Amino acid sequence: MSSKRQILVTNALPYANAALHLGHILEYTQTDVWVRFQKMRGHECYYVSADDAHGTAIMLKAEEKGISPEQHIDDMLTIHKADFEDFYIGVDNYHSTHSDENKAFSELIYNRLKSNDHIAQRSISQAFDPEKSLFLADRYVKGTCPKCKAEDQYGDNCEACGATYAPVDLVDAVSVISGATPIEKESIHYFFKLPEFTQFLKDWIDTSAVQKEVANKLSEWLDSGLQEWDISRDAPYFGFEIPDAPGKYFYVWLDAPIGYMASFKNLCDKTDLDFDYFWKEDSPTELYHFIGKDIVNFHALFWPAMLKSANYRRPTKVCVHGFVTVNGKKMSKSRGTFINARCYLDYLNPEYLRYYYASKLSGTVEDIDLNLEDFVQKVNSDLVGKVVNIASRCAKFITKGNDGVLSSNIDDQALWNQVSSAADTIATHYENRDFGKAIREIIAQADAANEYIAAQEPWKLNKDESQAQRVQDICSLGINLFRVILTYLKPVLPAMAEAGESFLNDSLTWDSAKSPLLGHRINSFQPLMQRIDKEKVDAMVEASKEELA
């Protein structure tokens, strides 16, 4: 672990059709904490992202707004970038899939797939809206289920009885877009020959490229037989036209993961990074994708197979997380628990949520529940009541009693050793994305520090002048323990760590845990974190209901 690693990290690209919500923020927090940890360890780590900016949905939304798709995605990019920034998601480059770099890579990769005979073409029959002159994806067709006769069902499967069918099998089918009755129409489509990569994918999955439970799911798909993947869509479509195929466009999911390469290339062109070194077949670097469990097939089947055919490196690991529930239930617009990132920021400190998510995250794909009562209690108890409390109890004795200079003695060497030596365990938890375990270990060390201060009672000793040095020694150790604990929390709480650094008059790296500050001058203490006000949480929930109304 000690040698310097070169790591490229991505998160799933937010779709440029809507504002970010708290489900998105879970993933970006998970990615950001992991990246900040790697950077603190001294590794060379780059984090890139972008807006996923193509597809029928974006074309239709722009039309509805009476603006061009380009204007619509530009507006969304501005909103998304602000949300990233305000949640302290320290992405090194934020780009768009509607970019010159992405067009170039999409065409390059497609041409390589084609020259390797991994592209097929054939005519298929699809639902077509005669009024809009538009081929309809399954979700744009609704009607009555042919099996159980439930009304208002989408064109691929029935939510009432679970039956699957073709859109044309629906009774009284209508186009969601125009209300017209769809007709069947033939069209030439292009396919990626995914089944030819079955053995390659089995071997790749065996390299621990995904978590065990994800590998099991992928194995089921592989064993039941892969299908060729339709990578084309007919005009009108907002995206990149397929080379030598007028009126045919790359399906959004073909160019979305290529957007990772495009964003990194954009970063390379602005800096002196070498793109090919990171992406070549035998690159010694590491590549991590953080994604939700709903898009595993794109990232762990289609994407590695495309990269293999096009002669690029495959991901080192695809890190899959679960969904966010609020108060134990699916996020709900009517209950006000479908909370947009910006609505949250209007009421609450982003670091409250970063901390709460980190305390719940593990390396598995389990869902994370944001229980709003537990959220208030946990943040107030852990961060304000335990972590910040150490500094606020000790600082004034140093600034008043010793002109802000810490003692040169360590009052309790065993306690210092205990808190300081937790660094390796905590680092392992961070590395494995077991953030919840890291947080539990950190808070256990904060508890030990608070118990020590409570037992020594420096506020009582301070009444006796002969005990002045003893008070300095106790409180100096308290400040040093706080400094180590803040070091451990820095990947999760970058803004609080920055405020703590200016109080400590020191910048925190992972190695800060190794040795205490002795005879060092600190600055006067300012409150580092306010308690969560339950009323603000309630107001946010109410505002979420209104926002949707």
Side-chain angles (χ1 to χ4, degrees):
M1 285 292 290
S2 58
S3 60
K4 191 170 181 177
R5 297 156 61 190
Q6 292 171 301
I7 310 170
L8 177 57
V9 182
T10 72
N11 58 244
L13 308 182
Y15 198 48
N17 219 23
L20 303 182
H21 56 68
L22 297 195
H24 293 110
I25 301 302
L26 173 79
E27 179 176 305
Y28 311 149
T29 298
Q30 184 186 32
T31 315
D32 183 67
V33 168
W34 198 77
V35 166
R36 286 179 186 274
F37 165 71
Q38 300 298 350
K39 289 180 175 182
M40 273 185 84
R41 299 277 276 177
H43 298 308
E44 187 184 336
C45 185
Y46 304 99
Y47 174 13
V48 299
S49 185
D51 265 8
D52 177 7
H54 289 153
T56 307
I58 282 171
M59 180 178 80
L60 294 171
K61 177 63 91 176
E63 200 177 289
E64 187 190 304
K65 288 179 158 181
I67 56 176
S68 68
E70 288 81 0
Q71 181 61 57
H72 172 56
I73 63 172
D74 281 354
D75 294 346
M76 287 313 307
L77 187 74
T78 306
I79 292 168
H80 287 174
K81 278 174 117 167
D83 289 344
F84 263 70
E85 206 168 295
D86 293 348
F87 267 101
Y88 307 120
I89 311 298
V91 66
D92 293 300
N93 196 55
Y94 200 88
H95 204 40
S96 167
T97 59
H98 192 64
S99 64
D100 294 343
E101 296 93 344
N102 205 34
K103 186 173 192 290
F105 279 118
S106 297
E107 290 176 358
L108 173 71
I109 288 174
Y110 171 78
N111 285 329
R112 286 186 184 177
L113 301 184
K114 197 174 163 188
S115 64
N116 291 336
D117 194 27
H118 290 138
I119 298 291
Q121 67 179 80
R122 58 179 176 272
S123 183
I124 64 164
S125 173
Q126 279 177 288
F128 183 80
D129 183 330
E131 236 170 76
K132 290 285 287 185
S133 298
L134 185 73
F135 281 98
L136 297 167
D138 297 344
R139 70 178 182 281
Y140 291 123
V141 183
K142 273 193 165 181
T144 300
C145 171
K147 303 267 170 34
C148 76
K149 305 296 183 267
E151 294 180 0
D152 204 31
Q153 297 304 313
Y154 283 110
D156 52 355
N157 71 295
C158 174
E159 288 184 355
C161 75
T164 57
Y165 41 72
V168 289
D169 299 333
L170 281 171
V171 181
D172 301 329
V174 294
S175 161
V176 172
I177 299 165
S178 72
T181 302
I183 58 170
E184 261 193 279
K185 193 171 173 181
E186 295 271 321
S187 166
I188 296 284
H189 271 235
Y190 293 77
F191 294 83
F192 174 47
K193 297 181 182 175
L194 187 64
E196 296 187 9
F197 294 87
T198 302
Q199 191 52 52
F200 156 74
L201 288 166
K202 283 181 175 174
D203 296 342
W204 179 71
I205 289 159
D206 283 344
T207 63
S208 308
V210 291
Q211 297 113 299
K212 197 171 183 323
E213 60 262 60
V214 178
N216 293 341
K217 185 72 200 162
L218 291 168
S219 297
E220 275 174 36
W221 289 339
L222 287 160
D223 293 341
S224 64
L226 298 172
Q227 303 296 311
E228 290 193 337
W229 181 39
D230 188 344
I231 59 162
S232 66
R233 292 296 182 266
D234 291 279
Y237 191 79
F238 183 61
F240 296 137
E241 208 163 12
I242 297 176
D244 306 323
K248 305 288 175 184
Y249 288 80
F250 288 127
Y251 172 44
V252 57
W253 265 110
L254 178 110
D255 70 65
I258 297 172
Y260 302 143
M261 301 170 85
S263 184
F264 186 62
K265 178 72 169 87
N266 182 257
L267 178 66
C268 291
D269 291 345
K270 294 189 247 186
T271 56
D272 57 358
L273 282 170
D274 179 351
F275 177 88
D276 294 330
Y277 175 71
F278 274 82
W279 282 94
K280 64 185 179 182
E281 176 82 54
D282 56 351
S283 174
T285 65
E286 301 169 52
L287 172 64
Y288 294 81
H289 299 309
F290 284 76
I291 62 158
K293 61 185 177 184
D294 53 332
I295 52 174
V296 163
N297 54 340
F298 297 109
H299 284 83
L301 296 175
F302 307 157
W303 177 230
M306 275 164 52
L307 290 167
K308 167 75 174 158
S309 176
N311 206 26
Y312 284 113
R313 61 93 36 81
R314 269 70 73 196
T316 309
K317 210 171 187 77
V318 176
C319 310
V320 185
H321 62 80
F323 298 141
V324 172
T325 56
V326 180
N327 298 334
K329 296 189 173 77
K330 206 173 161 182
M331 288 167 71
S332 148
K333 297 189 173 185
S334 61
R335 284 194 290 266
T337 57
F338 190 94
I339 300 164
N340 279 339
R342 187 51 53 186
C343 182
Y344 174 95
L345 290 164
D346 287 342
Y347 291 90
L348 296 165
N349 177 340
E351 294 202 311
Y352 297 156
L353 189 64
R354 286 178 64 101
Y355 179 77
Y356 190 75
Y357 277 164
S359 77
K360 293 271 200 164
L361 275 161
S362 68
T364 72
V365 298
E366 279 176 23
D367 291 347
I368 303 287
D369 187 46
L370 168 57
N371 178 298
L372 294 172
E373 273 185 30
D374 180 49
F375 165 69
V376 173
Q377 193 275 325
K378 188 172 191 60
V379 171
N380 287 346
S381 161
D382 288 6
L383 294 185
V384 184
K386 294 179 177 179
V387 177
V388 174
N389 189 47
I390 302 167
S392 65
R393 286 166 104 182
C394 297
K396 59 181 176 290
F397 295 112
I398 309 288
T399 42
K400 285 183 183 157
N402 204 30
D403 201 23
V405 177
L406 296 169
S407 166
S408 297
N409 307 321
I410 288 291
D411 183 63
D412 184 333
Q413 192 65 50
L415 177 60
W416 164 261
N417 292 348
Q418 175 201 313
V419 177
S420 163
S421 66
D424 289 346
T425 307
I426 293 165
T428 302
H429 293 326
Y430 272 132
E431 180 65 44
N432 297 334
R433 305 183 314 286
D434 262 325
F435 299 166
K437 283 185 182 170
I439 295 291
R440 284 194 289 284
E441 180 63 34
I442 294 165
I443 295 303
Q445 301 306 333
D447 284 337
N450 278 303
E451 281 161 23
Y452 161 77
I453 297 160
Q456 301 302 325
E457 300 183 309
W459 47 90
K460 278 192 183 167
L461 295 175
N462 198 48
K463 291 171 182 162
D464 179 351
E465 273 181 32
S466 69
Q467 296 290 331
Q469 187 55 49
R470 180 99 186 84
V471 170
Q472 291 309 309
D473 291 350
I474 295 162
C475 293
S476 294
L477 178 56
I479 296 294
N480 270 300
L481 298 175
F482 167 75
R483 173 174 165 269
V484 174
I485 290 159
L486 192 60
T487 298
Y488 298 153
L489 284 170
K490 188 176 176 179
V492 179
L493 304 170
M496 184 168 123
E498 198 180 314
E501 285 172 331
S502 89
F503 155 63
L504 292 164
N505 193 19
D506 183 36
S507 55
L508 304 174
T509 69
W510 199 257
D511 286 345
S512 300
K514 286 183 179 166
S515 45
L517 297 176
L518 302 175
H520 170 91
R521 185 182 298 280
I522 59 171
N523 293 312
S524 66
F525 179 79
Q526 308 295 329
L528 297 173
M529 171 95 40
Q530 304 298 330
R531 296 176 71 79
I532 301 185
D533 181 347
K534 172 81 168 66
E535 286 174 10
K536 287 190 172 171
V537 175
D538 296 340
M540 171 185 73
V541 171
E542 278 309 306
S544 291
K545 289 180 192 167
E546 283 163 32
E547 210 174 282
L548 291 147

